Amino acid sequence: SNKSFNIGAKASGKITFKVVSGAKYISVSKTGKVTVKKNAKKGTYKIVVTAKETSKYKKATKTIIVKVK
């Protein structure tokens, strides 16, 4: 069955999530919930989290590594 977890990213601006490697095996929702599909092969997959710029903060980007064992 599919396994899922939440990234738990917080920011004062809008946050976006995008799978940049492994989209065939993992997905991420608009709220940061990552789902590892049941046919996922062992490997390392990447998700980029971006917080939009606000009046107080500059844009920030973080790469999240998901390892399937």
Side-chain angles (χ1 to χ4, degrees), residues 4-65:
S4 61
F5 61 92
N6 202 302
I7 292 175
K10 290 184 172 37
S12 59
K14 183 179 181 210
I15 300 177
T16 56
F17 303 90
K18 183 179 179 185
V19 176
V20 291
S21 74
K24 186 174 178 181
Y25 303 115
I26 65 172
S27 63
V28 63
S29 73
K30 289 180 182 179
T31 59
K33 182 178 178 183
V34 178
T35 301
V36 179
K37 298 172 185 175
K38 62 183 174 185
N39 67 336
K41 296 189 164 138
K42 289 181 183 179
T44 302
Y45 307 109
K46 295 179 183 174
I47 297 169
V48 171
V49 181
T50 303
K52 300 266 187 204
E53 185 172 341
T54 67
S55 58
K56 290 184 179 181
Y57 300 101
K58 292 182 179 179
K59 175 181 169 181
T61 302
K62 179 80 175 168
T63 300
I64 305 294
I65 305 294

